[in-house]
Amino acid sequence: MGAGVCFEVLWNDADMFEVRVSARNGLFSGSANNYLSIGGLVESAEKLRSFPRNPSDKRTLDFGAFGPQFAGGAATLSFYCGDSAGHASVEVKIESDHREKIPAQSVLLISAVEPAAVDSFVSDLSRLEADQRGRAFLRTSW
C-alpha cells in the first residue's frame, strides 16, 4: 500500500461490518480491526462529501470506540485545512483492540490530502457499503 488510508471489509452480517482500517504516511503505519454498523460507511461518506468547502472546513469520522471497555479497535480521521489557501490534511488515529495481557497498540499519522482524493474516497466508501466487500482507499502524501 502506498501512502494513504485503506478500509477493507473482513466480515459482515445483517447488522454490522468488521473492517480493517490501515494507514501509512511513508514514515509510520498502523492498522486495527473495527466493528461498524450497516449504514455507517455511507453515513461517513456523506459527512465527508465536498470537503473542503472553505479554508475553515473541518470534518471528523469516527469508527469503533477507543478504550479497553469496548470490543474491537478504533479509528478517527480528522480532515482540516492547514492554511487560508485551503491546503487539506488528514490526521488519522488508530488504536488496536485491547486484549487481556497485550497492551493496545496505537498510531497517529498526519498527511496532506488532495480534494480529488477525498472525492474518490467518498465514492469508494459508498461502493464498499453497497458491495459489502472490497476496499476503499484514500490516497495521501506527506
Side-chain angles (χ1 to χ4, degrees), residues 8 37 57 67 70 78-79 110:
E8 180 181 9
S37 62
D57 196 356
F70 301 104
S78 299
F79 293 81
I110 301 171

Side-chain angles (χ1 to χ4, degrees), residues 69-122:
Q69 66 273 33
F70 301 104
T76 297
L77 282 67
S78 299
F79 293 81
Y80 61 93
C81 294
D83 58 28
S84 61
H87 293 108
S89 294
V90 60
E91 179 181 294
V92 182
K93 180 180 178 184
I94 298 174
E95 181 178 88
S96 69
D97 192 8
H98 290 259
R99 302 191 184 256
E100 289 181 26
K101 296 184 180 185
I102 302 170
Q105 304 293 304
S106 64
V107 66
L108 175 65
L109 306 173
I110 301 171
S111 297
V113 64
E114 296 293 326
V118 174
D119 291 343
S120 179
F121 184 57
V122 165

